[in-house]
């Protein structure tokens, strides 16, 4: 059974700091992995999607890496800003042939960036 | 493209009442997903549709829950005889057939409170 874990559960950093959020999954047979952002009481916004054949994806100040063999992904945020404060969720699409099925989510990392 | 919409955004009901939520996916997205999220946790998969066909249901979807997508466009999720444990955020997502990544786009959610 695929399980996704995110550590730490909460993180507080001063503005301007570079930071790394961690995600681990128990079964390396995944189709792809998505990172999402969720503001309090809101829906999810997709940040980055990494296919199982890829090692990393970048968008602006965000960089996500994937090491399928070790069951790990990291989300790197450069030069953090107070507007980055939110909960960050990692989700895997299990099964190498899982074309369009469910996502399995971690519990999220709540990030607070202090001015 | 107006994104995924959900209605209502908030619902307060008394235990034992029936409730129905609606999700309108991004137009031409043929896959539609329902998830449930409780406080401090990541979303949990409930069910998904490809066009009007319900392809997968989670064991979380008890007999009191039913989802439909009658014409392959909008979907409804009904909860009968609500219980306090049903209080959660209900999230809908959609994804296109042709993208290859099956990236899911989420709506703002419906927050259900059962008193």
């Amino acid at each position: 059974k695929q399980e996704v874990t995110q550590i730490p559960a909460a993180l507080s950093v001063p503005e301007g700091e570079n930071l790394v959020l961690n995600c681990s999954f128990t079964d390396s047979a995944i189709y792809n992995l998505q990172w999402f952002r969720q503001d309090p009481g809101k829906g999810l916004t997709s940040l980055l999607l990494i296919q199982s054949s890829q090692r990393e994806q970048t968008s602006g100040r965000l960089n996500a890496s994937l090491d399928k063999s070790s069951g790990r992904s990291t989300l790197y945020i450069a030069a953090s800003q107070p507007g980055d404060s939110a909960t960050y969720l990692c989700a895997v699409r299990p099964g190498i042939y899982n074309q369009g099925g469910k996502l399995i989510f971690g519990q999220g990392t709540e990030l607070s960036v202090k001015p | 493209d107006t994104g995924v919409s959900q209605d209502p955004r908030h619902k307060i009901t008394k235990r034992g009442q029936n409730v129905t939520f609606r999700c309108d996916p991004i137009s031409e997205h043929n896959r539609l997903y329902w998830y449930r999220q409780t406080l401090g946790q990541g979303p949990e998969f409930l069910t998904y549709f490809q066009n009007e066909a319900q392809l997968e249901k989670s064991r979380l979807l008890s007999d009191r829950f039913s989802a439909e997508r009658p014409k392959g466009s909008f979907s409804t999720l009904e909860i009968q005889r609500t219980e306090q444990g049903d209080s959660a955020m209900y999230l809908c997502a959609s994804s296109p057939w042709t993208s290859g990544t099956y990236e899911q786009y989420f709506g703002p959610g419906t927050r259900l409170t059962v008193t």
Side-chain angles (χ1 to χ4, degrees), chain A residues 31-32 34 36 38 41-46 48-49 51 89 93 98-108, chain B residues 9 31 33 35 37 40-45 48 56 89 91 95 100-109 111:
Chain A
Y31 188 77
N32 56 31
Q34 269 183 274
F36 293 89
Q38 186 174 33
K42 307 290 187 183
L44 279 63
T45 300
S46 181
L48 290 164
L49 182 148
Q51 292 289 81
L89 292 154
R93 185 168 282 104
N98 183 0
Q99 297 182 0
K102 65 187 174 189
L103 291 172
I104 297 178
F105 284 83
Q107 71 274 37
Chain B
R9 297 291 304 280
R31 291 196 165 103
Y33 310 79
Y35 293 84
Q37 185 179 27
Q41 300 298 313
E44 294 175 292
F45 171 78
Y48 97 94
E56 186 175 356
M89 175 80 89
L91 294 163
S95 71
T101 65
Y102 310 101
E103 183 171 1
Q104 293 184 19
Y105 298 83
F106 281 76
R111 179 163 297 285

Side-chain angles (χ1 to χ4, degrees), chain B residues 66-80:
Chain B
S66 64
E68 294 183 342
R69 194 182 183 199
K71 297 182 180 179
S73 57
F74 72 90
S75 175
T76 58
L77 177 68
E78 181 183 16
I79 309 174
Q80 297 182 328

